[in-house]
């Protein structure tokens, strides 16, 4: 069993407008990309659970084989930069992905 952070070359999050945060998981190793896809460790339902949001807040989830990338977007609780919002750029939201265990 490996951790996602050991298999991916890049794991990042960022704003996708003021109301969404998008996540990119990129792989330089094709076998690692296929391993993660086959493991189903990342699905819209799993992402919703990982981020403690309702499944309908995962507004987009795609795997993109030509780029060996998995990308998903979550609707924010509140707009970026609004009072009390703690990550204006959305760039600190990727941490829960790092320790995901990937079978295979």
């Amino acid at each position: 069993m490996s951790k996602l952070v050991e298999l991916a070359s890049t794991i990042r999050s960022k704003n996708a407008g003021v109301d969404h945060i998008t996540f990119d998981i990129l792989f330089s190793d094709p076998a690692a990309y296929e391993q993660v896809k086959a493991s189903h460790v990342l699905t819209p339902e799993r992402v919703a659970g990982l981020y403690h949001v309702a499944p309908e807040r995962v507004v987009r989830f795609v795997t993109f084989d030509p780029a060996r990338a998995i990308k998903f977007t979550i609707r924010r609780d509140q707009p970026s930069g609004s009072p009390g919002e703690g990550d204006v750029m959305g760039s600190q939201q990727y941490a829960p992905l790092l320790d995901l265990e990937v079978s295979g």
Side-chain angles (χ1 to χ4, degrees), residues 52-71:
H52 308 290
V53 299
E56 57 269 15
R57 283 187 44 202
V58 181
V59 296
R60 187 171 179 105
F61 185 96
V62 296
T63 58
F64 187 59
D65 293 346
R68 294 188 296 271
I70 299 171
K71 181 170 182 147

Side-chain angles (χ1 to χ4, degrees), residues 2-96:
S2 302
K3 291 185 177 184
L4 185 60
V5 70
E6 299 166 339
L7 299 170
S9 55
T10 301
I11 301 174
R12 64 185 176 206
S13 61
K14 58 190 174 188
N15 278 349
V18 297
D19 294 322
H20 297 88
I21 297 174
T22 195
F23 298 77
D24 301 318
I25 305 163
L26 309 171
F27 299 86
S28 57
D29 178 1
Y33 171 67
E34 293 299 330
Q35 178 184 351
V36 172
K37 275 185 26 178
S39 74
H40 301 289
V41 70
L42 286 171
T43 63
E45 295 78 17
R46 181 73 189 267
V47 167
L50 191 62
Y51 283 91
H52 308 290
V53 299
E56 57 269 15
R57 283 187 44 202
V58 181
V59 296
R60 187 171 179 105
F61 185 96
V62 296
T63 58
F64 187 59
D65 293 346
R68 294 188 296 271
I70 299 171
K71 181 170 182 147
F72 58 90
T73 302
I74 296 175
R75 189 171 1 101
R76 287 176 170 266
D77 280 336
Q78 56 192 73
S80 174
S82 62
E85 195 278 316
D87 185 5
V88 173
M89 302 303 289
S91 59
Q92 304 301 314
Q93 301 304 310
Y94 62 88

